[in-house]
Amino acid sequence: MVVPKKLIIYFIIFSHNLIYAQDGSILESIFENYQDIENDNFVLDILDHYRMQKINLFNCKLSELARLPLITTHESYAYLKLLRKYPYLKRTDIADSLEMNEAQKYILLECTKTDSWLRDDISINYRSRLISNNESESNFNNGYYLGDGNDTYNRIMCSYSDVAIGLLNHKNRGEQFKNSFISGYLQYNVLDINLIIGDFLPNYGMGGILWQTFGARKGLDVISPITRIGNGIDTYSSSVESGFFRGIAMEKEIAVFKNSLLRLSFFYSNTYRSATIDSKGYVSSINTSGYYRTITEIEKRNNLNEQALGANIEYYNDLIRFGGNLLYLNYDRFLSSSSSSSFYGKEGILHSYYLGINLNNLNLITELSIDASNNTMFKSGIETTLNKIKLALFYRNIGANFRSPYGYSFEEFSNPSNEEGLYYGLDIKFSRKVSLKSYLDIYNSKDRTFFVPTKVNGLDIFSEISYRFNNINILYIRLRNENKTENINVNTSKSLIGQVSKTSGRFATTTSVTNNLELGLRVEASYLDYYGIKSEETGALFFVEAKWDSHTFYDIGSRFTLFSSDSYASAIWQFEYLSYGYMTNKALSGIGERFYLYTNLKVINNLTIAIRYSISIYNNIERISTQNGNIEGNIQSQIFAQFDYTL
C-alpha cells in the first residue's frame, strides 16, 4: 500500500499541536459497542425514544431503567438505591460515585428526569428527514429500480401521563412509495399493566430466545454485555424493517413478598415476513434488508405469514432473578433455509430458562435455551469488582444447528449458532487519571460455517489504555488483533482455507481551544497477514475535525479524512454521527479523501433543522461501484436534511 503524502504531512502538523484523546463523540463510543447496520441503527432509536419520553427516576421500576443501552440491571439497582436514599444528589454525582463512564452518564442525563416527578408531562415530537445523493447511479437510470433516489423518513411520537403513541413511515432509495414501510404503536399503562398494541420488542433473560434487534458486540465496554438481562416488552420505534413483532403485548408485575416481584408477560403477533420461495413452495431464505426497489424484490415482500405466541414468567428481588420464557412460531410455508438466523420447519416451540444472582460485588447469570428441534444453547457470565478492578468471564456453547431467529448471544459470529467460546474481560482504574480496558476471546465453530467449508478457530485480543491529563485532554491508545480461520480468495478463480491475522490500532483526540471551539484528530491503521497464502494488506485513515457551538441558535462542524487501503478487507470503518437518531458507518476503501460540513440551526426553541453535505473522492479509480450500480467518475456526494419539532 502506498501511503498518501498528504496523510504524512497532516499527521506531522497536528501531532505537534494536539494531545491524543478519546473519541470526539460520546455517541460514537456508544454506537461502537453494538452490532452495526450501515445507516439506521436500532440503538440510536432507543436513545431517541427515551430522550423524548424520559424515564422518571423517582417512580420508575428497576426493569425500566435497565432498558437503556449500556445500563445493566446491576448498575440500575445500585443507582436507584442511592438516588432514593439521597434524592438531593445530582444524577452525575451518583454516576461518579458508582464509577460509571462518560457514555453511561450521557445516557442517564439525556434519557431520565428527576425535576418533574410531581406532575405529568406532555411530549410531542415530529421529525422529517431527506437524504439525497447528487451523483446518478446506474440502477436508477436503466429502469432496474422503480423509484427515485431519495431516502425519506417521517415520524411522530406523543406521550402524556400513562399513554404513548408513535407512528413512522420510511422509504429507501429506489422504492416507489413514500409509505413503503409503516410502523406504529399505542402504549397504555392501566391497572399497573403495560399494554402495547402495534409494534413491539420482547427481551428476556440473556436473550437466547427473545432479544432486541441488535445486541452488544465485543468492543470498548468489556464488562457489562456478558451479564446484561432482558427487561421485558418495549415499544418498537425504529425504521429497521425486521426483527420486531406486530400485535398485542401485556406485562404486569405483582408484589409477592417484601421487596420481591413476580413479572408476567404475554404477547401475540400476526405479521408477514418477506422471503424467497423456491419452485417447491418452500422458503429458501428470509429477506431482512427491507429493500423493495425492483420487481423481484417486490415479489418477495410480505409473502410469508408468521404467527407468534410468547410468554415469560419471572421472579426477582434485590438478590436473585430467575424465570423462563417460550416462543411458539407458526408459518404458512415450510422454511428450509440454511441460514443460521432463520427458523427451520413450519411450526415449533422455543423455550429458555435463566437464573441471575446479584450480590454487592458479584453478578452472575446463566441460561439454557432449547430450539424447536431440541438443539441447545448454554451460556453463563460472571462479573466481579475488586477495589478498582472489574473482571468478567463468559462461556457460551451453542449447537451447530441451533436456530433462534429472534435470539441473541454475545459472541463472534453474527447469529446465535455453531459456536463455543470463552471470553475474559478486564477493566482497571489504576488512578483517577489512568485506566485500562482489555478482553481476550477464544472461540471455535462446531461445524463448518456458511462462508468457510471447515471449522473456524479464532483468538481475539483487545486493549485500550487511557491517561486523563484533565477534563478536556485524554490520551488513548487502542490495539486489537484477531487471528481467525477464513476462506481466502487468492484470485478470481481460486480460494484457500487458512488463518488470517488482522491487527489494528487507533490514536484519537479532542481538545477545546475555546469555550465554543473543539478540535479533533484521529489516526488509525490496519494490517492483514495471510501467512504466505497471499500478500499482506494494509490500511490507514487520518482525520481532523472542528466543531463550533455558538451556545445560542446554531452549531457548525466539519471533518476532513484521508484514507488508503489495499482492498475492502483492510478498509477502516468511520462512524459519522449526523443528527439525533441517525448515524452512518462508512467503510473507506481504496485511496482518497472524504469531507463533510454540517450545521444544526435552532430556528426557535422547539424547532431544529440539521443540514449536512458530504463528498468522497477516490483517487485510484475512474468508476465507483456501489450497491445501487455504478457511478461514472470518482466522486460521490450526498445531502442530508432533517427537521425536528418538539413540544
Side-chain angles (χ1 to χ4, degrees):
M1 180 195 75
V2 179
V3 179
K5 293 181 180 179
K6 283 187 281 188
L7 191 154
I8 300 174
I9 294 171
Y10 276 105
F11 175 75
I12 294 173
I13 292 173
F14 281 91
S15 63
H16 284 289
N17 293 289
L18 296 176
I19 302 172
Y20 296 117
Q22 191 181 18
D23 299 345
S25 171
I26 293 178
L27 281 166
E28 181 178 319
S29 69
I30 296 171
F31 193 87
E32 285 188 328
N33 284 290
Y34 287 84
Q35 296 176 9
D36 57 279
I37 189 169
E38 184 175 350
N39 289 316
D40 198 4
N41 184 265
F42 177 65
V43 177
L44 285 178
D45 290 321
I46 294 177
L47 289 177
D48 207 35
H49 173 81
Y50 285 107
R51 184 185 285 116
M52 292 304 307
Q53 299 175 18
K54 297 182 185 296
I55 296 173
N56 188 333
L57 292 175
F58 282 105
N59 61 17
C60 75
K61 299 173 182 176
L62 174 67
S63 58
E64 290 180 279
L65 185 58
R67 287 172 182 166
L68 295 175
L70 302 186
I71 309 298
T72 66
T73 303
H74 183 75
E75 290 164 331
S76 298
Y77 167 73
Y79 190 93
L80 291 175
K81 183 179 180 180
L82 284 175
L83 178 66
R84 289 162 184 173
K85 186 176 182 180
Y86 307 103
Y88 51 84
L89 288 179
K90 294 180 180 179
R91 285 174 289 171
T92 51
D93 292 338
I94 296 175
D96 287 336
S97 70
L98 297 174
E99 297 187 346
M100 290 184 168
N101 58 43
E102 293 301 316
Q104 291 173 311
K105 287 190 286 187
Y106 173 87
I107 290 171
L108 288 168
L109 287 173
E110 288 286 309
C111 301
T112 67
K113 62 182 180 180
T114 58
D115 59 344
S116 58
W117 64 283
L118 290 176
R119 68 181 188 269
D120 293 325
D121 289 340
I122 185 170
S123 173
I124 300 175
N125 172 258
Y126 172 72
R127 169 173 297 161
S128 183
R129 179 189 300 153
L130 172 67
I131 305 172
S132 179
N133 287 16
N134 298 318
E135 288 71 39
S136 180
E137 295 167 270
S138 58
N139 286 347
F140 295 100
N141 300 328
N142 57 21
Y144 186 64
Y145 288 168
L146 302 181
D148 59 36
N150 293 329
D151 185 301
T152 60
Y153 172 98
N154 293 279
R155 188 203 68 189
I156 186 168
M157 296 171 61
C158 310
S159 66
Y160 176 72
S161 187
D162 293 326
V163 181
I165 299 173
L167 182 67
L168 73 82
N169 71 71
H170 178 232
K171 181 190 86 70
N172 289 299
R173 300 183 65 222
E175 294 181 334
Q176 281 181 291
F177 307 110
K178 291 184 178 180
N179 59 349
S180 178
F181 174 67
I182 298 177
S183 177
Y185 63 84
L186 167 65
Q187 183 179 29
Y188 183 39
N189 285 287
V190 55
L191 300 177
D192 205 30
I193 297 176
N194 178 27
L195 173 66
I196 301 173
I197 300 173
D199 296 344
F200 56 88
L201 278 176
N203 53 97
Y204 306 114
M206 299 182 77
I209 301 302
L210 292 162
W211 199 245
Q212 300 168 346
T213 305
F214 299 99
R217 62 177 179 180
K218 292 181 288 185
L220 189 59
D221 187 355
V222 299
I223 302 294
S224 65
I226 66 171
T227 55
R228 189 169 178 87
I229 301 177
N231 287 285
I233 302 173
D234 207 353
T235 57
Y236 185 76
S237 57
S238 175
S239 60
V240 178
E241 300 183 30
S242 63
F244 62 91
F245 294 95
R246 178 168 291 175
I248 184 170
M250 293 177 290
E251 193 167 68
K252 182 175 177 62
E253 292 188 346
I254 304 170
V256 289
F257 300 109
K258 184 179 179 180
N259 298 324
S260 296
L261 294 170
L262 184 68
R263 181 168 61 186
L264 306 173
S265 305
F266 169 81
F267 70 84
Y268 170 73
S269 170
N270 189 337
T271 189
Y272 284 86
R273 308 297 183 189
S274 300
T276 300
I277 300 174
D278 63 22
S279 58
K280 297 180 180 179
Y282 293 163
V283 175
S284 58
S285 65
I286 300 292
N287 178 16
T288 59
S289 69
Y291 292 124
Y292 305 102
R293 304 159 295 187
T294 68
I295 294 175
T296 301
E297 289 174 346
I298 292 173
E299 288 176 347
K300 299 177 183 179
R301 183 174 189 176
N302 296 339
N303 57 359
L304 176 66
N305 179 253
E306 176 194 84
Q307 294 188 63
L309 281 171
N312 181 75
I313 182 170
E314 178 181 288
Y315 171 87
Y316 73 94
N317 55 33
D318 297 343
L319 175 64
I320 194 169
R321 165 178 281 189
F322 61 89
N325 57 87
L326 64 86
L327 173 65
Y328 169 72
L329 294 173
N330 182 282
Y331 296 91
D332 61 353
R333 293 179 182 272
F334 191 94
L335 280 70
S336 61
S337 172
S338 59
S339 171
S340 59
S341 64
S342 174
F343 183 83
Y344 187 86
K346 191 172 181 180
E347 65 175 328
I349 297 176
L350 303 86
H351 45 114
S352 179
Y353 310 92
Y354 54 92
L355 168 67
I357 298 174
N358 181 25
L359 303 176
N360 287 332
N361 295 315
L362 181 69
N363 194 15
L364 167 69
I365 184 167
T366 187
E367 181 181 60
L368 174 65
S369 303
I370 304 170
D371 72 5
S373 300
N374 291 322
N375 299 298
T376 62
M377 171 169 68
F378 174 79
K379 47 187 178 177
S380 184
I382 184 172
E383 64 172 282
T384 185
T385 302
L386 304 171
N387 294 322
K388 300 295 183 179
I389 302 175
K390 291 183 179 180
L391 298 169
L393 179 66
F394 176 66
Y395 172 72
R396 70 268 191 191
N397 190 324
I398 316 172
N401 297 311
F402 182 80
R403 301 288 186 91
S404 181
Y406 301 105
Y408 151 79
S409 179
F410 182 68
E411 56 180 316
E412 171 66 20
F413 304 133
S414 57
N415 301 306
S417 180
N418 191 25
E419 182 172 339
E420 184 176 16
L422 192 61
Y423 171 96
Y424 306 86
L426 174 67
D427 188 341
I428 306 177
K429 288 183 172 59
F430 296 101
S431 67
R432 293 180 62 87
K433 291 186 176 182
V434 183
S435 64
L436 169 69
K437 294 184 177 184
S438 181
Y439 72 70
L440 169 68
D441 189 29
I442 306 170
Y443 62 87
N444 63 270
S445 68
K446 295 193 161 189
D447 202 346
R448 62 156 295 164
T449 68
F450 184 81
F451 295 103
V452 182
T454 188
K455 291 183 179 180
V456 172
N457 295 289
L459 175 65
D460 188 4
I461 304 173
F462 169 92
S463 291
E464 180 177 282
I465 189 167
S466 64
Y467 182 85
R468 181 181 294 272
F469 293 91
N470 50 50
N471 291 331
I472 298 173
N473 299 307
I474 309 170
L475 168 67
Y476 275 85
I477 302 174
R478 178 185 297 186
L479 294 172
R480 181 181 181 184
N481 176 264
E482 184 171 21
N483 192 300
K484 183 179 181 179
T485 310
E486 291 189 10
N487 191 10
I488 304 168
N489 293 320
V490 180
N491 51 52
T492 55
S493 60
K494 183 180 179 182
S495 63
L496 295 173
I497 306 299
Q499 294 294 120
V500 177
S501 173
K502 182 173 183 178
T503 304
S504 60
R506 176 192 292 183
F507 303 88
T509 184
T510 58
T511 185
S512 295
V513 180
T514 68
N515 188 41
N516 302 89
L517 179 62
E518 181 182 282
L519 299 179
L521 173 150
R522 178 183 297 177
V523 180
E524 196 160 353
S526 65
Y527 171 73
L528 270 70
D529 187 356
Y530 294 96
Y531 299 104
I533 295 178
K534 62 185 289 188
S535 300
E536 298 90 348
E537 293 186 18
T538 56
L541 178 145
F542 169 87
F543 75 63
V544 290
E545 63 182 358
K547 301 175 183 179
W548 174 273
D549 190 345
S550 67
H551 301 297
T552 54
F553 66 92
Y554 73 94
D555 62 77
I556 59 175
S558 67
R559 178 186 290 183
F560 177 71
T561 304
L562 293 168
F563 59 90
S564 177
S565 71
D566 291 330
S567 74
Y568 185 82
S570 54
I572 295 175
W573 293 74
Q574 174 177 275
F575 290 91
E576 298 174 3
Y577 178 67
L578 306 187
S579 186
Y580 284 143
Y582 193 87
M583 178 179 281
T584 60
N585 190 13
K586 303 287 293 184
L588 298 178
S589 177
I591 301 174
E593 302 96 28
R594 179 168 173 81
F595 170 81
Y596 65 77
L597 175 68
Y598 71 87
T599 182
N600 293 294
L601 303 173
K602 301 167 187 176
V603 181
I604 56 176
N605 288 338
N606 298 326
L607 175 62
T608 303
I609 298 176
I611 302 172
R612 188 189 85 149
Y613 172 78
S614 62
I615 182 170
S616 297
I617 302 173
Y618 299 86
N619 299 323
N620 60 326
I621 56 176
E622 296 181 355
R623 173 187 293 177
I624 301 173
S625 296
T626 72
Q627 65 174 359
N628 299 313
N630 296 318
I631 298 174
E632 295 301 327
N634 66 337
I635 296 176
Q636 187 176 19
S637 60
Q638 185 182 84
I639 293 288
F640 170 96
Q642 182 167 293
F643 169 100
D644 270 279
Y645 179 76
T646 301
L647 176 63

